[in-house]
Amino acid sequence: MREVDLVVAGAGPAGLTAAIYAARSGLSAVVLEKNTIGGQVALTPVVENYPGFANVPGKRLMEIIAEQARHYAEIHEGEGIEEVKLGRNVEAYTSKAVYVAQALILTTGATWKRLGVPGEDRYFGFGVSYCSTCDGYLYREKKAVVVGGGNSALTDALHLKNLGVNVTLIHRRDAFRAEKYLQEALAKEDIATVMHAEGHGNFGRRHHGHGRARAGRLRGDEREIPTDAVFVAIGLHPNTAIATQLGLTLDARGFIQTDRANRTSIPRIYAAGDVTGGSQQIVNAVGEGSTAALSAFEDLTHPYWKK
Ligand SMILES: Cc1cc2nc3c(=O)[nH]c(=O)nc-3n(C[C@H](O)[C@H](O)[C@H](O)COP(=O)(O)OP(=O)(O)OC[C@H]3O[C@@H](n4cnc5c(N)ncnc54)[C@H](O)[C@@H]3O)c2cc1C
């Protein structure tokens, strides 16, 4: 059994920042990560919108943040939290140990849904993207296909169009699920749509000499759409297994609900980063991670908790 002030679940940007801020407030913290350090950023080929770094490989950025975090807290990779019990203390169970803490910060992130078509993995980062905010800027004056029919897909299509991307939206049903105002904006912007279609087969074919996705083949009429990029926008799963186990309040989309100080519905449990929804960007994750840690410090040093 290990005793610490604070357990952080997840070593992505939110979790590592929470550890830095907690330790610098005087709390002892341990970060437990079920896979490897870096979260989704470690899988991102290039990051161009994190202030201070004009262009940095995602893995490198996370190595820099992890190196800083290691000065302040232990980070245990390959040690996911499997169960949490709540009493006066928080008990976090992993396959290796039990951690008894006064508070818990959940920074377990979210997982983008994949289409599961040939070429999707191979061309990820080379024309296949899940994040128009992250990669849209690279395709100004170029062609892109957005796959999906919900709020995210239509927002992505509008975002890309606004950047000057020649965008086509493809959706497998005959009607969009997105809110009406987004559908109206789509029509107003005159964005091309292909309904009853899905990314299929030759998706992400490598164009000789470019190494970028060049084609989206659609089911039905087997039409091929030459494109420089394919943005997959079919949804995001928040990683809320622990939150659900604890009975934390989730929002309508299934993300952990927090207040502005990243407190959840249960005292001394905080949440930060993609698992809370929001803008789902690194800069937001680090911001929320710091806020959660400062809230934990404030709560744990409160006279009520101290006695
Ligand atoms: C392909 C792609 C490209 C992107 N590009 C950019 C970009 O250019 N710029 C930008 O700002 N954002 C980008 N993003 C978004 C950015 O990666 C996320 O907003 C950010 O990683 C969120 O950080 P996080 O710490 O909240 O979660 P994550 O990075 O998802 O980290 C969560 C961590 O928690 C761990 N975990 C989950 N469950 C448990 C458990 N039970 N116990 C212990 N650990 C657990 C996971 O293994 C993971 O390591 C991109 C995302 C993707 C998918």
Side-chain angles (χ1 to χ4, degrees):
M1 187 181 83
R2 286 275 316 274
E3 283 190 36
V4 282
D5 293 327
L6 179 70
V7 166
V8 179
L16 295 177
T17 308
I20 293 170
Y21 272 75
R24 289 178 62 85
S25 302
L27 301 178
S28 60
V30 63
V31 182
L32 303 174
E33 164 57 54
K34 77 169 174 184
N35 295 319
T36 51
I37 286 175
Q40 295 171 73
V41 187
L43 307 171
T44 305
V46 180
V47 175
E48 295 191 335
N49 58 3
Y50 189 69
F53 294 84
N55 179 301
V56 60
K59 197 164 166 41
R60 178 70 194 125
L61 176 62
M62 292 318 297
E63 281 167 4
I64 295 168
I65 298 177
E67 195 180 321
Q68 187 180 2
R70 277 199 194 91
H71 284 296
Y72 296 105
E74 284 177 31
I75 305 169
H76 298 188
E77 293 181 82
E79 194 177 349
I81 298 180
E82 292 168 2
E83 192 184 355
V84 175
K85 290 186 187 161
L86 263 187
R88 175 157 170 91
N89 291 310
V90 181
E91 292 176 9
Y93 293 77
T94 71
S95 58
K96 296 177 183 165
V98 182
Y99 297 82
V100 179
Q102 298 179 48
L104 169 70
I105 300 182
L106 296 174
T107 62
T108 44
T111 311
W112 297 85
K113 287 188 199 160
R114 295 169 61 265
L115 278 173
V117 299
E120 186 176 11
D121 287 346
R122 185 164 175 221
Y123 295 97
F124 167 65
F126 295 93
V128 174
S129 173
Y130 298 83
C131 179
S132 70
T133 316
C134 314
D135 300 329
Y137 194 78
L138 303 171
Y139 296 98
R140 282 166 304 148
E141 314 299 329
K142 295 187 177 168
K143 288 183 181 170
V145 163
V146 174
V147 184
N151 287 347
S152 314
L154 270 68
T155 305
D156 282 3
L158 289 162
H159 175 71
L160 293 168
K161 172 84 184 195
N162 192 47
L163 282 171
V165 178
N166 178 348
V167 59
T168 301
L169 180 63
I170 69 173
H171 183 39
R172 63 189 169 141
R173 300 188 203 285
D174 56 359
F176 293 117
R177 278 176 290 109
E179 287 181 41
K180 197 161 168 269
Y181 79 94
L182 286 170
Q183 298 192 38
E184 285 167 2
L186 195 77
K188 198 168 156 212
E189 290 293 333
D190 206 18
I191 291 174
T193 57
V194 182
M195 309 303 277
H196 278 306
E198 55 189 55
H200 168 60
N202 209 9
F203 186 84
R205 188 178 58 178
R206 185 175 283 252
H207 188 69
H208 183 70
H210 286 283
R212 296 271 166 198
R214 296 297 292 188
R217 187 179 284 276
L218 309 179
R219 187 166 289 160
D221 60 2
E222 292 291 319
R223 187 178 343 165
E224 190 165 286
I225 302 179
T227 183
D228 298 291
V230 179
F231 287 88
V232 180
I234 55 172
L236 193 64
H237 278 306
N239 300 325
T240 48
I242 302 171
T244 308
Q245 195 189 95
L246 287 170
L248 296 182
T249 302
L250 306 180
D251 68 17
R253 294 190 306 145
F255 291 87
I256 301 176
Q257 195 166 298
T258 66
D259 64 11
R260 284 174 64 89
N262 290 92
R263 294 181 174 96
T264 68
S265 54
I266 297 182
R268 293 179 292 112
I269 310 288
Y270 311 83
D274 278 14
V275 76
T276 68
S279 304
Q280 283 144 351
Q281 291 288 284
I282 305 165
V283 77
N284 299 100
V286 301
E288 289 192 9
S290 67
T291 304
L294 294 174
S295 298
F297 169 73
E298 202 178 296
D299 296 346
L300 297 185
T301 51
H302 192 279
Y304 172 80
W305 177 247
K306 284 290 234 186
K307 67 186 174 190

